[in-house]
C-alpha cells in the first residue's frame, strides 16, 4: 500500500473512531506581541492652513523613535505562525481546531519557531543602543525628541512576547450544540481549502500574469498538503472522503517525472478549478461529482511507407475484400472517404467506445 493510500485508510479509521470533536480535535491559540517603536506626543499641536490647532478631539502626533525597518520580524513571524497553524487545522474564532493526532508534530514546529523568534529578538536587544543612536543621527532635527521618548532597553525587551495556549478540549456546553459546532468547523474547512486551491492556481498557472501551459512536479506539494489536512479532519464531514479520493486519483494519473503538460495538465487544471470554487467543492463532497477524468485521446499516425502512400491515395494490393474509412473534419461538408483493400496482415480492431462526461458538470468544451 502506498503512503498516500495508507493515509486515506488511516483517515477513514480516524473518522470512524472519533465521532466527536472532543475526541478528534482540540483548540490551540497563540499570541505575538512586540513594540511598535512609536510614542504619542501628548502636547503636540496640529498646524492647519498655517494656524496651530489645539482640541480635545485631535490626538497628539506619532513619533517613530525606533527604526521601523528593524521591527519587521513581527510581520515575519505573524505570517509564519499563521501558515503553520493553517497547515494543521482550521480557524474557529481566535483559536485553531487541530487534530489531536498531529499535536506532537505541531508542537515540534512551534518550538522551532519560538527558538528562531527568541534568537532574532536577542540580536535586536543586543544592538538596541546602537540602533537608537543611529536613528537619532539620521534624524538630527528630532534627535532630542527621540532621546526623550525612547523606551529603556529593559522596557523595550519586555514588549516582545510569543506564547501558545495549552490544548483545550472541544466540548460543547450543551450536547445538542456539538453538531452545530462540527458543521461550523466543516464550513470553515471548505472555505480554507477553496482559498488555498485558488492561491495555488494564481501562483502556478500564471507567470507575469500570462497563463502557462505546463507546471513542474513541485505542484504536487500543495495538493498533498490540502489532502493531508482533509484526512486529519475527516471526522467533521463524511463528504471529505469523496474529495480526498479524487485528489489521489488526479495525482496518480499525472506523469511521475518531467513537466505536467498536455492532457495531464488539462485534467489537473479542471480539478483545481473545482477545488478553488467553494460551491463546486461542496457539491463534489456531497456526492454530486463535479469532475470526471477523461481518457487521453489517441493520436494515430501513418509512416511514410509505400503501403501508407497507397492507403492515402486509395490504391491497394492483393485485396481480399473492400472496405472504407470515413474521415470527418470539423466541417462535415468537407468529410471525405478513403477506399482501401486490407492485406492479410492488417488488423482492424473493434473501436473503443469513449465518452466525455465533463460536459454534464458545467464544463464548456
Amino acid at each position: 500500500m502506498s503512503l498516500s493510500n495508507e493515509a486515506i485508510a488511516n483517515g477513514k479509521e480516524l473518522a470512524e473512531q472519533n465521532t466527536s470533536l472532543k475526541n478528534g480535535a482540540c483548540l490551540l491559540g497563540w499570541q505575538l506581541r512586540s513594540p511598535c517603536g512609536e510614542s504619542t506626543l501628548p502636547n503636540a499641536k496640529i498646524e492647519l492652513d498655517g494656524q496651530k490647532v489645539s482640541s480635545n478631539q485631535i490626538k497628539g502626533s506619532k513619533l517613530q523613535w525606533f527604526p521601523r525597518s528593524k521591527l519587521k520580524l513581527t510581520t515575519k513571524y505573524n505570517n509564519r505562525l499563521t501558515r503553520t497553524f493553517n497547515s494543521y487545522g482550521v480557524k474557529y474564532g481566535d483559536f485553531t481546531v487541530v487534530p489531536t493526532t498531529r499535536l506532537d508534530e505541531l508542537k515540534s514546529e512551534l518550538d522551532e519557531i519560538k527558538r528562531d523568534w527568541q534568537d532574532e529578538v536577542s540580536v535586536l536587544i543586543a544592538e538596541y543602543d546602537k540602533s537608537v543612536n543611529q536613528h537619532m543621527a539620521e534624524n538630527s532635527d528630532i534627535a532630542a525628541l527621540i532621546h526623550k521618548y525612547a523606551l529603556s532597553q529593559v522596557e523595550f525587551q519586555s514588549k516582545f512576547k510569543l506564547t501558545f495556549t495549552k490544548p483545550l478540549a472541544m466540548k460543547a456546553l450543551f450536547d445538542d450544540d456539538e453538531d452545530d459546532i462540527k458543521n461550523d468547523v466543516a464550513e470553515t474547512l471548505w472555505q480554507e481549502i477553496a482559498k488555498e486551491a485558488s492561491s495555488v492556481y494564481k501562483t502556478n498557472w500564471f507567470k507575469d500574469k500570462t497563463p502557462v501551459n505546463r507546471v513542474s512536479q513541485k505542484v504536487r506539494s500543495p495538493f498533498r498538503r490540502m489532502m493531508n489536512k482533509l484526512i486529519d479532519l475527516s471526522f467533521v464531514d463524511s463528504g471529505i472522503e469523496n474529495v480526498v479520493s479524487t485528489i489521489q486519483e488526479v495525482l496518480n494519473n499525472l506523469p511521475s517525472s518531467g513537466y505536467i503538460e498536455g492532457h495531464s495538465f488539462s485534467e489537473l487544471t479542471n480539478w483545481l478549478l473545482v477545488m478553488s470554487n467553494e460551491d463546486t467543492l461542496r457539491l463534489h463532497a456531497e456526492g454530486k461529482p463535479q469532475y470526471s477524468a477523461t481518457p487521453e485521446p489517441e493520436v494515430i499516425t501513418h509512416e511514410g511507407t509505400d503501403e501508407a502512400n497507397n492507403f492515402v491515395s486509395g490504391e491497394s494490393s492483393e485485396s481480399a475484400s473492400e472496405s472504407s474509412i470515413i474521415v470527418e473534419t470539423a466541417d462535415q461538408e468537407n468529410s471525405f472517404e478513403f477506399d482501401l483493400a486490407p492485406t492479410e496482415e492488417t488488423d482492424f480492431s473493434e473501436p473503443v467506445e469513449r465518452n466525455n462526461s465533463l460536459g454534464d458538470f458545467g464544463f464548456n468544451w
Side-chain angles (χ1 to χ4, degrees):
M1 180 183 293
S2 67
L3 290 177
S4 54
N5 290 333
E6 184 178 355
I8 294 176
N10 292 339
K12 292 180 181 178
E13 182 180 354
L14 180 66
E16 293 172 357
Q17 293 176 351
N18 298 328
T19 58
S20 68
L21 289 171
K22 179 182 177 182
N23 297 327
C26 64
L27 289 173
L28 277 181
W30 52 276
Q31 184 181 47
L32 176 67
R33 295 193 313 173
S34 64
C36 60
E38 290 183 347
S39 289
T40 300
L41 302 178
N43 299 319
K45 292 186 178 181
I46 305 299
E47 183 173 320
L48 184 64
D49 296 332
Q51 296 183 344
K52 299 288 185 179
V53 178
S54 179
S55 170
N56 292 332
Q57 306 306 314
I58 300 177
K59 304 298 181 183
S61 298
K62 296 284 187 180
L63 169 69
Q64 189 69 41
W65 53 264
F66 192 84
R68 186 178 286 108
S69 60
K70 293 183 178 294
L71 294 173
K72 291 182 178 180
L73 80 165
T74 305
T75 302
K76 172 184 174 181
Y77 280 91
N78 185 71
N79 292 338
R80 185 175 172 184
L81 286 165
T82 300
R83 287 194 303 269
T84 301
F85 272 87
N86 285 349
S87 66
Y88 281 88
V90 177
K91 287 288 291 180
Y92 190 73
D94 292 333
F95 291 88
T96 300
V97 179
V98 178
T100 53
T101 54
R102 302 198 69 188
L103 272 179
D104 290 341
E105 188 180 353
L106 174 58
K107 184 179 183 303
S108 178
E109 285 201 38
L110 296 182
D111 288 343
E112 181 181 355
I113 292 175
K114 191 164 188 176
R115 284 193 299 270
D116 293 345
W117 159 267
Q118 291 172 338
D119 289 344
E120 291 201 37
V121 170
S122 296
V123 172
L124 198 60
I125 299 302
E127 298 179 349
Y128 175 76
D129 290 336
K130 177 182 177 181
S131 298
V132 173
N133 291 332
Q134 183 179 350
H135 190 53
M136 291 171 62
E138 294 173 353
N139 299 275
S140 56
D141 53 331
I142 58 170
L145 288 174
I146 293 175
H147 183 269
K148 179 178 180 180
Y149 288 99
L151 299 177
S152 67
Q153 185 179 23
V154 174
E155 290 175 318
F156 184 71
Q157 183 175 0
S158 67
K159 299 292 184 180
F160 292 93
K161 188 175 184 181
L162 173 59
T163 57
F164 303 107
T165 63
K166 299 296 182 182
L168 302 174
M170 291 194 66
K171 179 173 174 58
L173 182 60
F174 303 103
D175 293 338
D176 293 343
D177 292 337
E178 182 168 322
D179 287 341
D180 291 335
I181 295 176
K182 186 182 293 187
N183 291 337
D184 289 342
V185 173
E187 182 177 356
T188 304
L189 176 61
W190 295 128
Q191 291 172 356
E192 291 185 3
I193 292 295
K195 183 178 179 180
E196 184 168 355
S198 179
S199 177
V200 171
Y201 180 70
K202 293 176 182 177
T203 303
N204 297 278
W205 264 248
F206 295 87
K207 184 176 183 180
D208 298 328
K209 297 183 179 181
T210 302
V212 301
N213 57 13
R214 66 180 188 178
V215 291
S216 71
Q217 292 289 332
K218 292 181 180 179
V219 80
R220 289 177 178 270
S221 295
F223 280 98
R224 290 198 185 100
R225 186 169 59 247
M226 289 185 284
M227 183 174 69
N228 290 336
K229 182 174 180 177
L230 287 166
I231 290 173
D232 292 332
L233 293 165
S234 57
F235 54 87
V236 302
D237 192 325
S238 59
I240 287 177
E241 182 181 337
N242 296 329
V243 176
V244 169
S245 297
T246 304
I247 296 176
Q248 188 59 63
E249 175 190 354
V250 172
L251 294 182
N252 286 343
N253 289 337
L254 298 178
S256 58
S257 61
Y259 281 102
I260 300 169
E261 51 192 343
H263 179 265
S264 297
F265 178 74
S266 297
E267 294 290 274
L268 183 61
T269 303
N270 292 340
W271 171 239
L272 182 58
L273 292 176
V274 171
M275 290 187 67
S276 61
N277 183 299
E278 188 180 338
D279 293 330
T280 55
L281 182 62
R282 285 173 179 271
L283 288 172
H284 194 84
E286 292 170 2
K288 303 171 184 176
Q290 303 298 296
Y291 167 87
S292 178
T294 57
E296 186 172 0
E298 294 181 1
V299 178
I300 302 176
T301 60
H302 299 281
E303 297 181 1
T305 62
D306 291 340
E307 291 185 7
N309 292 333
N310 290 338
F311 169 77
V312 173
S313 64
E315 298 176 3
S316 61
S317 61
E318 299 182 7
S319 60
S321 61
E322 294 185 356
S323 301
S324 66
I325 293 180
I326 299 176
V327 180
E328 296 182 352
T329 65
D331 183 356
Q332 294 300 323
E333 294 181 358
N334 294 329
S335 300
F336 52 92
E337 180 174 330
F338 288 137
D339 291 328
L340 72 106
T343 65
E344 293 181 357
E345 298 179 354
T346 306
D347 178 21
F348 292 97
S349 301
E350 183 178 351
V352 178
E353 181 179 354
R354 301 183 184 280
N355 60 71
N356 187 339
S357 59
L358 289 178
D360 297 336
F361 304 122
F363 290 90
N364 186 15
W365 298 92

